[in-house]
Amino acid sequence: MKRIQGWGNLETDYPVPEPARVYLEKVVGKPHHQKNISIEELIRKIPPTRLSAHPLINTDPEQRLRHARGQSLNDWIDMCDGLVNTFPDGVAYPETDADVRALIEFAQSGNVNLIPYGGGSSVVGHLTPPGEGPPTLSVDMQRMNQLIHLSEENFEATFGAGVNGPQLEAQLKGHGFVLGHFPQSWEYSSLGGWIATRSVGQQSYHYGRIEPLFVKGHLETPAGPMDLPHFPKSAAGPDLRHLVLGSEARLGIITQATMRIRRLPEEEHFYAAFFPNFEIGVEAVRKIAQSELAVSMVRLSDPMETETTFQLSGEEKLVNIAKKGLSLFGHGEERCMLIYGLTGTRAENRLADRQLAHIVRSHQGMLIKFYLGKAWIEKRFLTPYLRNTLWDLGYALDTLETALPWEKLHSGRQAIYHAISHAMEGDNEPVLIFSHISHVYTNGGSMYVTYLFRRSQDPHQTLAHWQKMKGAASQAITALGGTISHQHGVGIDHKPFLSVEKDPLSMQVLKNIIKTVDPEQIMNAGKLIDTD
Amino acid sequence: MKRIQGWGNLETDYPVPEPARVYLEKVVGKPHHQKNISIEELIRKIPPTRLSAHPLINTDPEQRLRHARGQSLNDWIDMCDGLVNTFPDGVAYPETDADVRALIEFAQSGNVNLIPYGGGSSVVGHLTPPGEGPPTLSVDMQRMNQLIHLSEENFEATFGAGVNGPQLEAQLKGHGFVLGHFPQSWEYSSLGGWIATRSVGQQSYHYGRIEPLFVKGHLETPAGPMDLPHFPKSAAGPDLRHLVLGSEARLGIITQATMRIRRLPEEEHFYAAFFPNFEIGVEAVRKIAQSELAVSMVRLSDPMETETTFQLSGEEKLVNIAKKGLSLFGHGEERCMLIYGLTGTRAENRLADRQLAHIVRSHQGMLIKFYLGKAWIEKRFLTPYLRNTLWDLGYALDTLETALPWEKLHSGRQAIYHAISHAMEGDNEPVLIFSHISHVYTNGGSMYVTYLFRRSQDPHQTLAHWQKMKGAASQAITALGGTISHQHGVGIDHKPFLSVEKDPLSMQVLKNIIKTVDPEQIMNAGKLIDTD
């Protein structure tokens, strides 16, 4: 059963080990315990629906509550501390393109705002119903989750766009195939959501971001159906897939997508390496990326994330042995952990591993082939559950991300950290900040920053703290010339910064595209870009 | 000195060997010799300019003649046989963004149609001035050809968009870098042209098509400057680079582009292999693509192209020995040649070569590591000159291309051949048709078809023959579900087929984008899509 408050299902729990509790109290202070508001109280806050009756629409309050928010920190404060004040007026669960078309026609005839709902994992406000204006209908795509066609000859599979990560891979695995798109939200994010937000999986270095995996798609839009063409590649004019990718539902609802798939790999391994400090680690990772080594993932944690990973592992003895070993090797407090993946044939993996080992060693690095890599891959979809237990302990946790050229990754990290901690200085509230470089390209990498602080007894205060830090970090990122999002999208939270990175003419082009497809502005209005 | 009639410079000649002449006479008949119309006669056809004087604009007739056409077969008939009847009214050679802006303002104020000119290598009519309507100004970008910035740390280089292939690689090579974009037109095609037409280089399997190489760009448009953002990757909304890619100058003039570059490879080799027939060859190439072997190129010729390559090599003795060797191995008339490339470190190339050899052998193939691969790479930019000598002998030659899913490559080739030869049946004019698969993806490949026939004594007849065959082939391609162009673009010749592959809503979106950026329709009007 999916949680209404917090991440994931109710059955899964990720306890915080005792040493980690001690560590967090030391770093950010003793937390203030407080209980979440009850579901009953939340339901009492829901106003009557403003939608007229429709056979496809469910107006049950619990359903409306379940579709009210995503997973950003302000979504959590809304849902757990009871600040939530807007709700969809109903939820529909279409099963066919015709159902989706019927819902769009319903919205057009009654001036209703449609918000497609995939897995509910947005962390930038994609799912929040506007506070004023027309009623909102949440269109939950979960029933359109089937493998519609698989071509073993062309390595392509067509799915209903509501399929989530586990469902999708399970359906492919039976045929010996894999898509390989593994964002951390994999358990509760959907194919349509990945496309609409330009999602990136953890092994994008090998499998590619969602963009190159997306071959073609079908959309239902207010202006009618849109069928993207189906070719291996084409030079016949602009590629309109790239308008759908990142469209955040402003152009319609993606109902089907055909994806490039691959044979399941012959073998896969995850290992670790350590570098004496972040700067040297970044140099090594740059060398790996620019040599285009055929590894499947590199993820370089900074010293604070490395230490936090040690603490959260709960393996106190092992960690002490590891630290002693690393310090003998000259790696002290500034040590940085790299997790890397090998996905391919045995010969390919052996070559990539040998090349990587050479780069690691020439950057004062040390390879650790046991435990750490395996622990990471085994827990990679469990880690988001830690946010639940931390929240219950009294800690709020948020993440943000960007991509920067290589030359700015080191200084950019410092600027972002400074912005976040500086934002809280007046409140005398310490923040634990850590980060990793998670996706690398020949011309730069993405930086994924986690910041953790104590929940306040007044949720408005927690929200204010978050707003200060998120705002300061976003400003620092755009001032650096970084993108406001490498993998989460724009939604509401990043909307003010879109015009910093897209020039006025590009913004105008984007607005006019949306107006061409959705003249009445019924599709997720207010998200991504203001079109009024 | 660049030729006005035909391909390339006047200094380079590629003679047709005697056995090849005999072979061609046998296959398509004895040619009708005729001389090209003189340059003086062509110049006499040029009407007075309709442009008002401007310091940046040259109205010299020879300059206007030189910018009147590209390299499609009808362009050749126009320029060599004298059917050319439209000319730009002037030519400008901007040196700065400000010059380009000034030209756009001039066009806006005087209702002038602008046609950007890169290397003049278009084969689909991009450069042809319209027959009626406002005067046309050709904007030749050749002076904007400098390396503006190179980042050794980020593996990026910014160039003026008028830079051609040899200039670009020469400027990078000095720093130890390579772009790796090698279309057959490399000698006379430009960076801006590659971007505007979604060009594909011969080693795209390794280096990527132009799309992933294009990091950011600056355009001057009728609605003002457009600066695409500069990030390693971003999820912040639709990626407008993909509107510029393939825009065929309808959105403005690309003046600068920042490209992903790579270190020059440690080593590079080109080798050949033979398969007993095309169907088996396609299966082998599919296996190579879907195993994602780290080769840098695969190019599979069909039996007719294999035979023609043998004939045109002029190495009669060598060919006879090769044929005998192949027939001992069981390869007869249906044999197909594969050329493949290895580009990387020694260890990477060794592994890829071993993996490829395994696939070749398990598909009844035979590796030939001497002569053929080397001959191909050495002559790859010389081959287009053969068209000049064939033309002078009395043969017209054209190429067309598409991309198809794996399952349709074999039957699709037969359908395209049938369409071309069937189109000429009534005229009792034989055609030599051959092709290769030149770019491969996990979900399909591109097919590049060459067809050769005798020039008629009446150029209108040659043109009519070409129109019949080109039209029939284009219809066969779209009926198959193939793209009207994998690598040449749309221009005029493919324009009627764009709406076959893009649906009505996508066409409307495209039109509205153009109208947003170019409300007065001064940018290469009439190309790519009708926006009236």
Side-chain angles (χ1 to χ4, degrees), chain A residues 156 227 235 262 292 485 503, chain B residues 227 235 262 292 443 485 503:
Chain A
E156 287 178 346
D227 268 298
R262 290 171 163 97
E292 298 179 69
S485 178
D503 70 0
Chain B
D227 268 299
R262 290 172 163 97
E292 296 179 69
N443 60 344
S485 178
D503 68 1

Side-chain angles (χ1 to χ4, degrees), chain A residues 178-461:
Chain A
V178 62
L179 176 66
H181 189 75
F182 301 116
Q184 200 174 42
S185 61
W186 182 71
E187 210 183 333
Y188 286 102
S189 55
S190 71
L191 177 57
W194 298 338
I195 294 166
T197 60
R198 294 187 173 266
S199 163
V200 186
Q202 287 165 340
Q203 286 161 269
S204 74
Y205 185 81
H206 173 69
Y207 288 108
R209 294 165 60 96
I210 203 70
E211 294 99 313
L213 297 174
F214 178 48
V215 177
K216 70 153 181 167
H218 178 85
L219 283 85
E220 293 293 337
T221 88
M226 182 184 273
D227 268 298
L228 296 167
H230 185 197
F231 306 122
K233 286 283 175 190
S234 169
D239 186 348
L240 301 188
R241 276 182 302 199
H242 282 271
L243 297 183
V244 173
L245 289 156
S247 60
E248 305 194 355
R250 293 301 305 269
L251 298 180
I253 298 181
I254 303 162
T255 62
Q256 280 186 25
T258 299
M259 309 302 292
R260 239 174 267 272
I261 55 176
R262 290 171 163 97
R263 283 280 173 209
L264 286 163
E266 188 177 304
E267 53 164 53
E268 183 161 70
H269 306 287
F270 293 86
Y271 299 129
F274 283 85
F275 297 99
N277 64 48
F278 191 65
E279 216 165 348
I280 295 174
V282 171
E283 269 308 293
V285 168
R286 178 167 80 93
K287 181 79 182 160
I288 292 166
Q290 292 181 340
S291 308
E292 298 179 69
L293 297 197
V295 294
S296 61
M297 188 190 84
V298 288
R299 176 193 163 108
L300 178 72
S301 296
D302 78 347
M304 285 309 283
E305 184 168 295
T306 302
E307 179 63 23
T308 306
T309 306
F310 278 160
Q311 296 296 341
L312 287 171
S313 73
E315 305 272 3
E316 213 173 351
K317 275 188 194 165
L318 201 69
V319 164
N320 285 334
I321 294 168
K323 284 187 181 175
K324 271 186 198 151
L326 286 165
S327 85
L328 283 174
F329 201 73
H331 291 194
E333 302 284 299
E334 291 301 307
R335 63 189 157 244
C336 287
M337 182 171 71
L338 172 79
I339 300 284
Y340 69 97
L342 299 168
T343 304
T345 67
R346 178 171 294 214
E348 287 161 355
N349 289 347
R350 206 186 297 142
L351 174 59
D353 202 19
R354 205 170 65 217
Q355 291 173 311
L356 181 131
H358 179 75
I359 293 173
V360 167
R361 290 200 194 96
S362 65
H363 286 81
Q364 307 169 48
M366 186 180 174
L367 288 164
I368 308 277
K369 294 235 172 165
F370 60 93
Y371 186 72
L372 291 165
K374 205 158 175 268
W376 180 83
I377 188 70
E378 279 170 4
K379 285 186 182 168
R380 65 170 163 173
F381 303 125
L382 200 58
T383 323
Y385 285 91
L386 195 56
R387 201 182 181 192
N388 297 333
T389 27
L390 288 169
W391 179 262
D392 291 340
L393 280 178
Y395 296 110
L397 179 153
D398 190 34
T399 61
L400 49 85
E401 36 82 44
T402 185
L404 289 164
W406 287 110
E407 62 196 2
K408 285 187 186 171
L409 271 169
H410 188 56
S411 61
R413 168 175 156 272
Q414 290 170 331
I416 296 165
Y417 281 26
H418 177 77
I420 295 173
S421 52
H422 187 73
M424 292 289 264
E425 265 168 22
D427 295 295
N428 200 25
E429 186 68 46
V431 196
L432 169 63
I433 316 173
F434 52 87
S435 66
H436 59 264
I437 293 174
S438 46
H439 302 274
V440 295
Y441 309 96
T442 54
N443 60 344
S446 73
M447 173 155 290
Y448 192 86
V449 180
T450 303
Y451 54 108
L452 182 150
F453 58 104
R454 292 185 297 178
R455 290 167 66 192
S456 301
Q457 255 140 350
D458 174 5
H460 293 95
Q461 179 71 31

Side-chain angles (χ1 to χ4, degrees), chain B residues 254-308:
Chain B
I254 303 163
T255 62
Q256 280 186 23
T258 299
M259 308 302 290
R260 240 173 267 272
I261 55 175
R262 290 172 163 97
R263 284 279 174 210
L264 286 163
E266 190 176 303
E267 54 165 55
E268 184 161 69
H269 306 287
F270 293 86
Y271 299 129
F274 283 86
F275 297 98
N277 63 47
F278 191 64
E279 214 164 351
I280 296 174
V282 171
E283 270 308 293
V285 169
R286 177 168 80 93
K287 182 78 181 162
I288 292 167
Q290 293 182 340
S291 308
E292 296 179 69
L293 296 197
V295 294
S296 61
M297 188 190 83
V298 289
R299 176 192 163 108
L300 178 72
S301 295
D302 78 347
M304 285 310 282
E305 184 169 293
T306 302
E307 181 62 23
T308 307

Side-chain angles (χ1 to χ4, degrees), chain A residues 76-97:
Chain A
W76 276 50
I77 298 168
D78 277 357
M79 295 295 273
C80 298
D81 287 334
L83 300 193
V84 57
N85 56 4
T86 62
F87 304 86
D89 291 85
V91 183
Y93 297 88
E95 297 183 7
T96 61
D97 287 3

Side-chain angles (χ1 to χ4, degrees), chain A residues 231-234, chain B residues 400-404 409 412-413 416 436-439 441 445-449 473 477-478 480-488 501:
Chain A
F231 306 122
K233 286 283 175 190
S234 169
Chain B
L400 49 87
E401 35 83 43
T402 185
L404 289 165
L409 270 168
R413 168 175 155 273
I416 296 165
H436 58 264
I437 293 174
S438 46
H439 301 273
Y441 309 95
S446 73
M447 173 156 290
Y448 192 87
V449 179
I477 284 169
T478 48
L480 280 163
T483 175
I484 193 63
S485 178
H486 169 268
Q487 64 203 69
H488 288 159
E501 61 183 75

Side-chain angles (χ1 to χ4, degrees), chain A residues 151-156 197-200 206 209 211 215 221 223-240 242-248 251 260-263 283 286 290-294 345 347-348 350-351 354-355 402-408 441-446 481-490 498 501-503 505-510 512-513 516-517 528, chain B residues 151-156 197-200 206 209 211 215 221 223-240 242-248 251 260-263 283 286 290-294 345 347-348 350-351 354-355 402-408 441-446 481-490 498 501-503 505-510 512-513 516-517 528:
Chain A
S151 166
E152 300 218 359
E153 187 163 358
N154 293 319
F155 279 31
E156 287 178 346
T197 60
R198 294 187 173 266
S199 163
V200 186
H206 173 69
R209 294 165 60 96
E211 294 99 313
V215 177
T221 88
M226 182 184 273
D227 268 298
L228 296 167
H230 185 197
F231 306 122
K233 286 283 175 190
S234 169
D239 186 348
L240 301 188
H242 282 271
L243 297 183
V244 173
L245 289 156
S247 60
E248 305 194 355
L251 298 180
R260 239 174 267 272
I261 55 176
R262 290 171 163 97
R263 283 280 173 209
E283 269 308 293
R286 178 167 80 93
Q290 292 181 340
S291 308
E292 298 179 69
L293 297 197
T345 67
E348 287 161 355
R350 206 186 297 142
L351 174 59
R354 205 170 65 217
Q355 291 173 311
T402 185
L404 289 164
W406 287 110
E407 62 196 2
K408 285 187 186 171
Y441 309 96
T442 54
N443 60 344
S446 73
T483 174
I484 193 61
S485 178
H486 169 268
Q487 64 202 71
H488 288 158
V490 176
L498 191 66
E501 61 182 75
K502 294 206 197 279
D503 70 0
L505 182 54
S506 299
M507 293 291 280
Q508 194 55 51
V509 167
L510 210 43
N512 285 9
I513 293 166
T516 299
V517 176
L528 179 62
Chain B
S151 166
E152 300 218 358
E153 188 164 356
N154 292 321
F155 278 31
E156 287 179 347
T197 61
R198 292 188 174 265
S199 163
V200 187
H206 173 68
R209 295 165 59 95
E211 294 100 312
V215 177
T221 87
M226 183 184 272
D227 268 299
L228 297 167
H230 184 198
F231 306 122
K233 286 284 174 188
S234 170
D239 186 347
L240 301 187
H242 282 271
L243 296 183
V244 173
L245 289 156
S247 60
E248 305 193 357
L251 299 179
R260 240 173 267 272
I261 55 175
R262 290 172 163 97
R263 284 279 174 210
E283 270 308 293
R286 177 168 80 93
Q290 293 182 340
S291 308
E292 296 179 69
L293 296 197
T345 66
E348 287 161 355
R350 205 185 299 142
L351 174 59
R354 206 170 64 217
Q355 291 173 312
T402 185
L404 289 165
W406 287 110
E407 62 197 2
K408 287 187 185 169
Y441 309 95
T442 54
N443 60 344
S446 73
T483 175
I484 193 63
S485 178
H486 169 268
Q487 64 203 69
H488 288 159
V490 177
L498 190 66
E501 61 183 75
K502 294 205 198 278
D503 68 1
L505 183 53
S506 299
M507 293 292 279
Q508 194 55 51
V509 167
L510 210 45
N512 285 9
I513 292 166
T516 299
V517 175
L528 179 63

